[in-house]
Amino acid sequence: MNKLLVANWKMNNVVLDCVRFMEEFVPKFTAKREAWVAPQALHFNLVRHMGEQKDIKAGVQNVSHELFGAFTGETSPKSLRAMGGHFAIIGHSERRQFFGETSKTCSLKIRTCIREGIVPVYCVGETLAERESKQTMSIVGDQLLQGLNDVGSINPENLVIAYEPVWAIGTGKTASPAQAQEVHAFIRTVLKEKFPGIGAKIRILYGGSVKPDNVEELLSQKDIDGGLVGGASLKAKDFLALCGDK
Ligand code: PEP
């Protein structure tokens, strides 16, 4: 499985920052690993356009579960697809924390995205309190089963899962490779049960303070197929290093 690095720029980078990033990143990117970028929705088409010569896919950080209608402020997966969008991050912990997103609402978005040809990058992960009370697997298992409840039949490339322990996001604390692998192995088992014959091939990304100095060890773990990256994806040099282009 080719390793995949997804940049989550969150609400950072004005348009000039996006242009400068892509001008530096694209010529040096050699596609050793796959790179996808999720800028603010406003900048999605610019990034898509600047990255297409190297097949760098662009996507968004959130999407509606509806296709059309009176949903002020939302982005339709159909419109995203029509503009050449490839993926949507769904259920990021910041959306769960600040915008009331639940695994149930995620399931509606995931279902709609898959039908419309948008790849959901579905985020799951436990808080520190949940880890300390040994609930990691039950929390992650519930998030997976609820979020993927209504997916139907899929191909492995229609879906990406991102395991992001909440306590490791933007904190500088990374799960150790062994800690991450333990949860990834559990997620793999759930996916294999839910999607027989396919679950083994669905990519599972790790997210939480992935940086150039820890990426290789994380990506060498058996069930870690790539990374979902916040902070270290904002600098072209760092994101190049994560993509294996020093
Ligand atoms: C994220 O926001 O998805 C993330 C993993 O952030 P960071 O890499 O900064 O921890």
Side-chain angles (χ1 to χ4, degrees), residues 12-207:
N12 295 301
N13 286 348
V14 296
V15 65
L16 204 52
D17 301 320
C18 299
V19 171
R20 286 192 181 127
F21 179 104
M22 295 303 282
E23 279 177 351
E24 185 180 345
F25 183 80
V26 174
K28 294 182 182 152
F29 176 69
T30 64
K32 281 190 195 80
R33 293 173 180 160
E34 252 178 87
W36 298 1
V37 181
Q40 294 186 60
L42 265 180
H43 304 139
F44 145 77
N45 200 38
L46 168 82
V47 167
R48 182 199 62 75
H49 179 68
M50 291 188 77
E52 69 188 349
Q53 45 172 303
K54 292 277 181 84
D55 203 24
I56 296 160
K57 310 272 200 246
V60 293
Q61 301 165 18
N62 176 43
V63 77
S64 176
H65 66 281
E66 294 285 352
L67 298 182
F68 298 108
F71 300 99
T72 302
E74 291 291 291
T75 300
S76 161
K78 192 179 264 310
S79 306
L80 179 64
R81 186 74 200 118
M83 291 293 287
H86 185 70
F87 72 98
I89 300 173
I90 294 177
H92 190 282
S93 67
E94 287 151 17
R95 296 217 52 91
R96 292 179 190 260
Q97 187 183 349
F98 302 127
F99 302 100
E101 195 132 306
T102 64
S103 299
K104 172 88 190 102
T105 58
C106 289
S107 76
L108 303 175
K109 296 180 181 201
I110 291 168
R111 182 184 60 180
T112 311
C113 277
I114 289 177
R115 285 187 187 158
E116 293 303 313
I118 295 291
V119 179
V121 177
Y122 178 46
C123 304
V124 296
E126 81 288 2
T127 62
L128 186 58
E130 288 162 348
R131 173 161 281 266
E132 285 174 349
S133 57
K134 307 207 179 315
Q135 293 182 77
T136 299
M137 304 307 178
S138 71
I139 294 290
V140 169
D142 284 353
Q143 290 171 336
L144 281 173
L145 292 179
Q146 284 183 42
L148 303 177
N149 175 38
D150 207 6
V151 163
S153 65
I154 54 163
N155 294 321
E157 58 280 0
N158 293 153
L159 175 68
V160 173
I161 303 296
Y163 168 57
E164 298 209 307
V166 179
W167 49 272
I169 297 177
T171 58
K173 287 184 197 156
T174 320
S176 69
Q179 276 175 322
Q181 168 56 29
E182 187 187 17
V183 184
H184 279 236
F186 168 72
I187 294 173
R188 179 73 68 211
T189 305
V190 174
L191 292 177
K192 280 183 178 165
E193 277 168 18
K194 170 110 191 118
F195 304 109
I198 288 187
K201 298 184 202 134
I202 293 172
R203 288 193 280 201
I204 309 172
L205 312 182
Y206 169 77

Side-chain angles (χ1 to χ4, degrees), residues 8 10 92 94 164 168-171 207-210 228-232:
N8 173 15
K10 311 194 185 190
H92 190 282
E94 287 151 17
E164 298 209 307
I169 297 177
T171 58
S209 300
V210 175
L228 175 56
V229 190

